[in-house]
Amino acid sequence: MKWYRPAVVWAGAAALAGCFGCSSDAQPGVGSSGGAAGMLGAPGPNAGAESAGSAGTVSAGGTGNAGAAAASDGCEKSPAPLRTQGTLLSLPLELVLGGKPFVFGEANELSGGSSLVPLNLRFYISEVELLRGAGQANVAVDVVTAAGAPAPYGVYLFNAEDADSNTLTLLAPPGEYTGLSFALGIKLGCNQQNPAGLSDPLRSTSQMTWPHTGGFLFFRYEARYMAAGSAGASGAPESLPAVHMGGDIKVERVPRVTVLGALSVPASGKLEKGLSVVMDEILKGATANIDVSDVAVGLLSAPEAIAGERLRRQLPDLHVFVLEP
Amino acid sequence: MAARIYLVAATLCSVALLSGCSNDPADATPSGAPSLIVSTTPAGFPEGTSAEQAPADNALTEERAQLGKRLFYDPQLSRTNEVSCNTCHQQANAFADPNVVSAGVEGRTGTRNAPSIVNAAWGKTFFWDGRADSLEEQAGQPIENPLEMDLALSDAVARVAADASYVAAFKKAYGEAPSEASLQKALASFVRSLVSGNSPYDRHLRGDDSAFGPQRKRGEALFLSEKAECFHCHPGGELTNEGFFNNGSYVAGGDTGRQQVSGRVGDIGKFKVPALRNIELSAPYMHDGSLATLEDVIEHYAAGGRGDVTTDPLIKPLSLSSEEKADLVEFLRSLTDESLLTDARFAP
């Protein structure tokens, strides 16, 4: 079925975004590709820097062409791969809270006798780049399936409910890297699509669709907090019941995250490296006492959307993602 | 605010018109009879027809769907020869059960209301608790369930294998004698052919508002708003996110739903979000059939559910006027595809 032509549909919807109170201003440091501050301290000189280098094919055993993820207005289901050869870099993600595994669907005990049961936790990752040393441009890499096939739309969806979804896999040229950066969400071209008619992971069954602005959620979290002794909420960050972080379909507002850590990608075989998702940082950002009233009006005034906007703005100052040593 | 959402809908509609959304008449078989396999897709659904949703090892063919239809209506698939799939999935009720809980062999009853199976081709998991990952897997379970048809699949196969016309039909459809796998595949094929995409809402999304007046538009706008919050689980288009949520219908000590599959404490009281096409026809509602009318459903959500501590945090009391509640109900009635009820292709 091809009756939705997103560019036309969302040209109309985009015109409405302002009505919903969406800021048309990109947030400094979090909005544009490659422009974010690092998650683990200041990134290297080229972390996040855009490159004019074109995508290329890796020759066997050679190095890949460097180049930042090309910005595209489109959102092709089968985007042209940046390279057809490379090494699979698997990044299994693990949720962590208070230094311990944060187990989905279970009562995770907190200090003081309270507990937290995560009920839903999903997020998108796209536009991934590997970082190299000072003076060297980043290397854009393809998001792929576990088998190495290009991921539809170039997008990875983490769904805590589905263990099969919990590994981010990239096709990387062999080499030494100092970390990676990625969009915690989807690029503007995809965010402007109407999910009706799209396939996984952008189908509405992703649970990431959002009529507020016509765009998608980038990060979704819901949980049940049980205070010590009785059910109910308190002022603790862990008592936050929901976080819905989205963007804006008029301008690029997807936050970009940089994670520093050595990645030595071999010429053959594969590299697996754990990537922790630190929930303490998520909750800290989502409960930050910052003013988001410029966007938190109308439909976006829902508590979970306000929490999401706080998180989006705080991401450059947080350490949400941590590579295992 | 409602006016703004009208604009979104209007934009969608105009584009749908431009691109010529399919509302094809049923395809015809070589004999000229209407085919069970159609190219029509409900509006707002993912790309791909129902046939394109079929697994590689059970491609949807006319022979398979027709065989599945015969099996669907055959009470031989129950131990006592009194219950067929159709007993709990009736065409007049959008292939759901009008009873609170369904009656199986010898009048046995379970704890859940049989849901509609229309447009299940696009589903990801099946049953209220999502314990089946495919229609093929789903198809065999009611046959063997002691509270439903109470017949071992091997016995079901033996029964149909004793009928030469069935043997011929299986040979034609699957190239082999009846087997447990092919029996389930055939049933899944018929279910996959049950496509409904001609409701006023479908036509509205395609740009035809002749049966989608102001009250339905107000209801749709509310449906997609934070005021009513329906969209969280029922996003526009498919009207289900295929997820599992505790919508406040669970009461302590009751059916724990998804938790029985996952074992997770966080899944207590979670049930699969149903699709809403033809919801008017598939009363009663909720996993336990405890709400008799659409008005009851709206009141349930307006109250924020039944108050159990396991209720999803997004289920909260709503502030809706009586007019707004009526608008929501009228929107839900716009999801009724009248042609489904009388479509002779789906009848025995």
Side-chain angles (χ1 to χ4, degrees), chain A residues 120-200:
Chain A
N120 202 354
L121 206 168
R122 297 160 188 255
F123 53 82
Y124 286 123
I125 286 177
S126 62
E127 306 292 292
V128 183
E129 297 176 2
L130 298 181
L131 312 181
R132 299 196 291 185
Q136 301 180 74
N138 300 341
V139 179
V141 295
D142 289 307
V143 176
V144 298
T145 66
Y153 308 101
V155 171
Y156 164 74
L157 173 63
F158 174 89
N159 171 12
E161 189 175 10
D162 177 11
D164 292 340
S165 79
N166 291 179
T167 296
L168 168 65
T169 307
L170 309 169
L171 186 63
E176 300 296 324
Y177 301 97
T178 59
L180 72 160
S181 76
F182 51 81
L184 186 59
I186 54 177
K187 63 183 179 181
L188 182 62
C190 285
N191 200 36
Q192 291 176 331
Q193 306 296 308
N194 186 337
L198 298 186
S199 302
D200 292 331

Side-chain angles (χ1 to χ4, degrees), chain A residues 60-315:
Chain A
T63 56
N65 293 346
S72 169
D73 291 333
C75 186
E76 297 78 21
K77 182 180 178 184
S78 302
L82 296 169
R83 58 184 57 81
T84 56
Q85 297 180 56
T87 300
L88 289 181
L89 171 54
S90 296
L91 302 169
L93 283 84
E94 182 186 29
L95 304 174
V96 174
L97 178 68
K100 297 184 295 186
F102 186 47
V103 184
F104 181 78
E106 301 295 350
N108 293 265
E109 291 187 9
L110 307 175
S111 60
S114 57
S115 64
L116 185 60
V117 183
L119 301 172
N120 202 354
L121 206 168
R122 297 160 188 255
F123 53 82
Y124 286 123
I125 286 177
S126 62
E127 306 292 292
V128 183
E129 297 176 2
L130 298 181
L131 312 181
R132 299 196 291 185
Q136 301 180 74
N138 300 341
V139 179
V141 295
D142 289 307
V143 176
V144 298
T145 66
Y153 308 101
V155 171
Y156 164 74
L157 173 63
F158 174 89
N159 171 12
E161 189 175 10
D162 177 11
D164 292 340
S165 79
N166 291 179
T167 296
L168 168 65
T169 307
L170 309 169
L171 186 63
E176 300 296 324
Y177 301 97
T178 59
L180 72 160
S181 76
F182 51 81
L184 186 59
I186 54 177
K187 63 183 179 181
L188 182 62
C190 285
N191 200 36
Q192 291 176 331
Q193 306 296 308
N194 186 337
L198 298 186
S199 302
D200 292 331
L202 300 183
R203 184 179 165 185
S204 56
T205 52
S206 66
Q207 301 184 23
M208 301 293 275
T209 60
W210 211 23
H212 297 60
T213 65
F216 288 73
L217 289 170
F218 296 161
F219 179 95
R220 175 174 184 162
Y221 165 78
E222 288 122 37
R224 179 166 66 249
Y225 176 73
M226 307 291 284
S230 64
S234 76
E238 294 86 353
S239 67
L240 187 67
V243 182
H244 289 182
M245 182 184 83
D248 188 319
I249 62 169
K250 289 177 67 177
V251 295
E252 186 66 274
R253 294 178 74 199
V254 62
R256 195 160 183 90
V257 170
T258 299
V259 188
L260 298 182
L263 289 167
S264 182
V265 179
S268 60
K270 64 182 281 187
L271 173 64
E272 183 169 303
K273 196 89 163 176
L275 186 62
S276 296
V277 184
V278 184
M279 293 304 300
D280 314 66
E281 294 289 287
I282 293 285
L283 296 172
K284 177 181 165 185
T287 56
N289 184 23
I290 58 173
D291 181 13
V292 296
S293 58
D294 56 319
V295 300
V297 297
L299 290 170
L300 287 169
S301 64
E304 63 271 15
I306 291 174
E309 180 60 14
R310 286 177 167 147
L311 171 63
R312 193 185 68 81
R313 295 189 184 189
Q314 292 296 297
L315 273 169

Side-chain angles (χ1 to χ4, degrees), chain A residues 1-5 8-13 16 19-20 77 104-107 117-120 122 160-163 194-200 203-207 209-212 220 222-224 226 231 241-242 244 298-300 302-305, chain B residues 1 4-5 7-8 11-12 15-16 18-22 41-48 53 122-124 205-206 224-227 229 231-232 235-238 240-245 258 263-268 270 309-314 316:
Chain A
M1 196 168 77
K2 297 180 173 17
W3 54 272
Y4 282 122
R5 287 300 83 190
V8 181
V9 174
W10 296 103
L16 298 175
C19 301
F20 294 122
K77 182 180 178 184
F104 181 78
E106 301 295 350
V117 183
L119 301 172
N120 202 354
R122 297 160 188 255
E161 189 175 10
D162 177 11
N194 186 337
L198 298 186
S199 302
D200 292 331
R203 184 179 165 185
S204 56
T205 52
S206 66
Q207 301 184 23
T209 60
W210 211 23
H212 297 60
R220 175 174 184 162
E222 288 122 37
R224 179 166 66 249
M226 307 291 284
H244 289 182
L299 290 170
L300 287 169
E304 63 271 15
Chain B
M1 187 57 66
R4 294 170 186 159
I5 297 178
L7 285 172
V8 174
T11 306
L12 297 176
V15 173
L18 287 171
S19 57
C21 178
S22 168
T41 301
F45 273 48
E47 283 190 1
Q53 312 306 315
W122 287 271
K124 288 175 173 283
L205 291 181
R206 294 174 186 136
L224 296 175
S225 74
E226 279 290 352
K227 188 165 190 178
E229 306 213 52
F231 70 86
H232 287 297
E238 291 190 75
T240 175
N241 63 14
E242 286 276 328
F244 300 94
F245 290 87
R258 182 67 175 167
R264 297 169 177 144
V265 66
D267 285 346
I268 290 176
K270 282 186 176 181
V309 68
T310 60
T311 300
D312 191 276
L314 297 180
K316 296 167 285 194

Side-chain angles (χ1 to χ4, degrees), chain B residues 8-286:
Chain B
V8 174
T11 306
L12 297 176
C13 296
S14 60
V15 173
L17 273 176
L18 287 171
S19 57
C21 178
S22 168
N23 190 20
D24 300 337
D27 297 348
T29 60
S31 66
S35 171
L36 277 170
I37 303 170
V38 297
S39 56
T40 304
T41 301
F45 273 48
E47 283 190 1
T49 65
S50 59
E52 290 171 310
Q53 312 306 315
D57 66 350
N58 191 26
L60 186 58
T61 68
E62 187 68 22
E63 290 80 11
R64 292 172 177 180
Q66 292 290 355
L67 172 58
K69 185 172 89 168
R70 182 177 173 189
L71 291 164
F72 184 87
Y73 285 101
D74 192 343
Q76 279 192 95
L77 298 189
S78 64
R79 178 176 56 79
T80 59
N81 293 299
E82 59 181 333
V83 177
S84 69
C85 303
N86 171 62
T87 302
C88 303
H89 298 283
Q90 301 173 19
Q91 185 173 7
N93 301 98
F95 290 93
D97 191 338
N99 298 299
V100 172
V101 292
S102 301
V105 295
E106 299 165 343
R108 298 173 185 174
T109 55
T111 59
R112 296 177 185 170
N113 175 255
S116 172
I117 51 174
V118 174
N119 295 336
W122 287 271
K124 288 175 173 283
T125 60
F126 306 92
F127 295 114
W128 279 106
D129 54 19
R131 65 183 181 274
D133 291 329
S134 71
L135 281 174
E136 284 74 11
E137 183 183 351
Q138 184 277 333
Q141 293 197 30
I143 297 173
E144 295 203 301
N145 189 317
L147 299 179
E148 298 183 56
M149 299 161 87
D150 194 28
L151 184 69
L153 275 176
S154 57
D155 290 339
V157 169
R159 290 185 182 186
V160 297
D163 182 325
S165 65
Y166 260 130
V167 172
F170 272 91
K171 180 73 175 173
K172 190 175 180 184
Y174 289 102
E176 61 180 30
S179 67
E180 293 181 23
S182 58
L183 185 145
Q184 293 174 88
K185 286 179 177 178
L187 282 167
S189 294
F190 175 60
V191 173
R192 208 165 267 130
S193 76
L194 296 172
V195 176
S196 168
N198 194 32
S199 70
Y201 176 67
D202 289 284
R203 299 198 297 273
H204 161 65
L205 291 181
R206 294 174 186 136
D208 172 10
D209 278 358
S210 58
F212 203 85
Q215 188 177 19
R216 290 178 168 182
K217 289 177 181 171
R218 289 198 303 272
E220 181 192 33
L222 268 171
F223 192 90
L224 296 175
S225 74
E226 279 290 352
K227 188 165 190 178
E229 306 213 52
C230 314
F231 70 86
H232 287 297
C233 290
H234 301 283
E238 291 190 75
L239 300 178
T240 175
N241 63 14
E242 286 276 328
F244 300 94
F245 290 87
N246 183 326
N247 71 349
S249 59
Y250 170 78
V251 291
D255 185 347
T256 59
R258 182 67 175 167
Q259 186 270 340
Q260 295 171 29
V261 177
S262 71
R264 297 169 177 144
V265 66
D267 285 346
I268 290 176
K270 282 186 176 181
F271 292 90
K272 185 182 172 186
V273 175
L276 299 183
R277 291 295 196 288
N278 306 295
I279 193 69
E280 177 186 15
L281 305 172
S282 62
Y285 305 107
M286 304 301 172

